[in-house]
Amino acid sequence: MSVVETNVATTGAMATGANSPAAAESWQPSILAFACHWCTYSGADLAGLNRMEYPANVRLLRVPCSGRVNPQYVLSALGKGADGVLVCGCHPGDCHYVSGNYYAKRRLMAFKRLLEFTGLEPGRFQVRWISGSEAGKFRDTVTRVCEEVRALGPLTTDQRQALADPVLAGAAATTQAGEAQ
Amino acid sequence: MSDSQSIQASLRSRAAELLASDQVAELIGWGAGRFPDQTTPLFITQADQAEGLVYSEYCQNTLGKYAITELSELVADQGKLAICVRGCESRGINRMLKDNQIERDRLYLLGIPCSGMKNRQSGELLSKCMNCSHKNPVIYDELLGETVAEGEPDRFGAVCALEECDRASREQYFDAAFDRCIRCYACREVCPVCTCRECFVDQHEVGWQGKQGNTTENRFYSLTRAFHISDRCVECGECERACPMGLPLMVLNRKLVKDLDDLFQAGEAGLDAVAVNSLGTYDVADVEEFM
Ligand code: SF4
Ligand code: SF4
């Protein structure tokens, strides 16, 4: 949990500028990708070894299994600065723990439908199975997800609105200055 | 004598007998509230208190969840806990049995067939009773009154109507709803499925739930609550009835119930105490959409 928070805190800060019109041009999507240690993470490694290029907007967060991804992580990330979330795991049948991704599949299928039902754009939460040897699929997936989220624009959350509000942002800055003294 | 009056009469006499014979140590039913037609949950331990029991068409509260707290305070050899169960309560009881929250042999279930409860102010059928799929209790030790005919509930009508709206209006609809939530957690308290000793919202050190009262945090709460009960919700509607801010919680719950049924043939929860939860299992042949 704290991992998610720290990771997204940086992307959140980066994305704050998005709400001020002047910065709209330079807005970059922040995407959090949960990658299973046994497959996608190695796939990403392989992509790196092969010097494949993919957008730097994607932050990888290594998890032991896609079954480890609590749907609350996804909601947390979206509420705290991520514009999109990607969950990647081993192909069905290939799970290092035998069945983790099968449970993840059921869970995330239902959760994705719930998020979309309540209004989230389908592109903002995606799940893909990517094996350790599929460096190309990893590159293509993150590139595509990044472009889809870029087209959707920044995700509005209360945290962002508060940070973009000049009064609230000013108050936060004063508090920090006061604390430093 | 109307149906509910005759049920009230047999409830009072059976309650007195059960308590007098020490077969049961405590009984949970309904008693009169402060206003005309208002009822409130009633907990009695003496045979002479049985006259205070009320059964009318205004017994709004679903009692099932009280079984957990009352049983935890009752010494096992004192006798059983008797509880009135209509369809909704009985399915909640099954759910709690399945979740190992209560023990069947410590319960005495007084079944009550129910044709739906009314709002005492408007006289209208409660919305939670409108699409009830089990008016008769699915588990009981004795039945007070004749079984009633089951209707043809439209459980997913509201969900389907929303599904047909465009994304932006759904977002607007739910954002406006989440915006109203005051995070009193009444929806969790009354739910027979929300039985965790420590709820994620109370894990302050872990910090799942932010303290701000804003739409983002309220959405986090509501969607997490709905997802946590998803494959186990018995559709009693008590959460939505208890919500002081009128959030449409049943469409969230039923959206999940519907999807899990469409995708994994989950069926209805709480019909027995043994069924496997659809998210607690898997099938290698499950539909694939993440390839
Ligand atoms: S009962 Fe209603 S207001 Fe209270 S926490 Fe639940 S949804 Fe929010
Ligand atoms: S979520 Fe609501 S409808 Fe479902 S079991 Fe709990 S209280 Fe009943």
Side-chain angles (χ1 to χ4, degrees):
Chain A
M1 180 62 191
S2 58
V3 186
V4 179
E5 285 192 359
T6 23
N7 212 292
V8 179
T10 43
T11 56
M14 193 178 92
T16 356
N19 288 18
S20 66
E25 298 264 303
S26 63
W27 173 76
Q28 287 289 331
S30 319
I31 291 151
L32 182 61
F34 292 93
C36 163
H37 167 78
W38 304 100
C39 53
T40 315
Y41 203 78
S42 319
D45 228 6
L46 193 62
L49 279 173
N50 288 320
R51 309 214 181 287
M52 291 180 178
E53 283 187 26
Y54 60 87
N57 307 73
V58 179
R59 317 292 160 101
L60 278 192
L61 206 154
R62 185 169 61 152
V63 284
C65 176
S66 51
R68 176 66 183 88
V69 180
N70 186 332
Q72 281 166 251
Y73 291 164
V74 177
L75 265 179
S76 259
L78 293 173
K80 291 178 175 147
D83 300 294
V85 174
L86 173 67
V87 175
C88 301
C90 306
H91 287 225
D94 290 353
C95 177
H96 185 76
Y97 307 101
V98 186
S99 54
N101 55 357
Y102 281 117
Y103 288 106
K105 183 161 94 173
R106 281 201 165 196
R107 214 178 280 154
L108 298 177
M109 275 169 85
F111 196 62
K112 183 163 165 56
R113 283 167 169 75
L114 179 66
L115 292 182
E116 290 169 14
F117 182 61
T118 52
L120 192 79
E121 292 99 338
R124 293 202 195 267
F125 173 48
Q126 307 200 32
V127 186
R128 282 290 170 276
W129 310 133
I130 302 174
S131 81
S133 59
E134 293 178 318
K137 183 174 180 183
F138 173 79
R139 176 201 52 203
D140 296 346
T141 305
V142 296
T143 312
R144 188 179 41 73
V145 170
C146 182
E147 287 327 304
E148 282 177 26
V149 174
R150 191 188 301 280
L152 290 170
L155 181 66
T156 327
T157 64
D158 287 291
Q159 186 208 35
R160 278 187 183 176
Q161 276 170 347
L163 287 168
D165 184 309
V167 181
L168 289 175
T174 332
T175 328
Q176 272 164 15
E179 277 161 5
Q181 282 165 7
Chain B
M1 204 154 56
S2 77
D3 285 351
S4 50
Q5 279 172 328
S6 74
I7 290 175
Q8 174 173 299
S10 39
L11 173 60
R12 286 181 179 176
S13 69
R14 282 301 289 144
E17 284 166 26
L18 289 166
L19 287 163
S21 65
D22 281 340
Q23 266 180 286
V24 311
E26 182 183 345
L27 184 140
I28 312 178
W30 302 268
R34 281 187 294 165
F35 303 105
D37 291 334
Q38 191 193 32
T39 66
T40 175
L42 184 71
F43 304 78
I44 60 172
T45 52
Q46 308 296 327
D48 58 7
Q49 295 169 319
E51 283 306 299
L53 287 167
V54 169
Y55 186 77
S56 67
E57 50 208 347
Y58 304 104
C59 293
Q60 304 195 2
N61 298 64
T62 299
L63 304 174
K65 185 75 180 277
Y66 291 115
I68 296 182
T69 38
E70 294 309 301
L71 268 185
S72 71
E73 285 165 13
L74 212 62
V75 182
D77 56 12
Q78 274 179 335
K80 297 189 183 196
L81 172 71
I83 181 161
C84 298
V85 292
R86 298 167 293 194
C88 49
E89 275 112 4
S90 68
R91 292 175 68 192
I93 294 282
N94 266 337
R95 195 55 257 175
M96 291 183 283
L97 288 170
K98 161 81 181 150
D99 291 340
N100 290 325
Q101 298 298 315
I102 50 179
E103 297 138 299
R104 182 67 180 91
D105 56 9
R106 294 187 66 197
L107 292 173
Y108 191 84
L109 305 175
L110 292 159
I112 300 179
C114 164
S115 306
M117 293 290 141
K118 292 179 180 161
N119 178 312
R120 74 181 174 87
Q121 275 148 335
S122 66
E124 282 171 23
L125 196 64
L126 292 182
S127 64
K128 72 168 180 174
C129 301
M130 275 175 198
N131 293 303
C132 172
S133 55
H134 293 270
K135 297 173 186 287
N136 297 293
V138 296
I139 176 178
Y140 54 83
D141 291 310
E142 67 178 88
L143 201 58
L144 310 171
E146 298 293 309
T147 53
V148 295
E150 296 289 353
E152 282 179 23
D154 180 14
R155 291 158 64 210
F156 303 125
V159 177
C160 294
L162 269 165
E163 279 174 343
E164 273 160 31
C165 298
D166 59 83
R167 190 201 64 79
S169 21
R170 267 180 286 128
E171 183 176 39
Q172 224 178 7
Y173 174 76
F174 283 106
D175 277 2
F178 296 144
D179 204 28
R180 292 201 298 276
C181 175
I182 52 171
R183 295 222 306 277
C184 60
Y185 305 136
C187 47
R188 170 197 73 178
E189 291 302 312
V190 295
C191 177
V193 178
C194 281
T195 50
C196 294
R197 295 250 168 89
E198 194 182 353
C199 178
F200 74 98
V201 302
D202 297 325
Q203 294 181 321
H204 301 296
E205 303 256 313
V206 187
W208 287 113
Q209 182 67 61
K211 294 189 173 56
Q212 305 91 324
N214 59 30
T215 317
T216 304
E217 289 297 343
N218 295 348
R219 180 190 296 115
F220 183 86
Y221 168 68
S222 257
L223 294 187
T224 306
R225 183 203 62 81
F227 195 71
H228 281 182
I229 53 92
S230 57
D231 58 341
R232 303 177 297 142
C233 173
V234 299
E235 298 170 59
C236 62
E238 186 67 351
C239 49
E240 190 172 285
R241 187 195 65 80
C243 176
M245 306 308 288
L247 267 76
L249 301 177
M250 283 312 285
V251 294
L252 292 177
N253 302 338
R254 283 201 163 118
K255 166 69 181 164
L256 283 155
V257 170
K258 175 173 174 285
D259 285 346
L260 290 174
D261 194 39
D262 290 350
L263 293 167
F264 315 120
Q265 297 74 49
E268 287 182 279
L271 298 189
D272 60 44
V274 287
V276 176
N277 308 335
S278 57
L279 290 181
T281 183
Y282 66 92
D283 184 341
V284 288
D286 282 342
V287 246
E288 183 54 68
E289 56 186 37
F290 297 147
M291 199 52 90

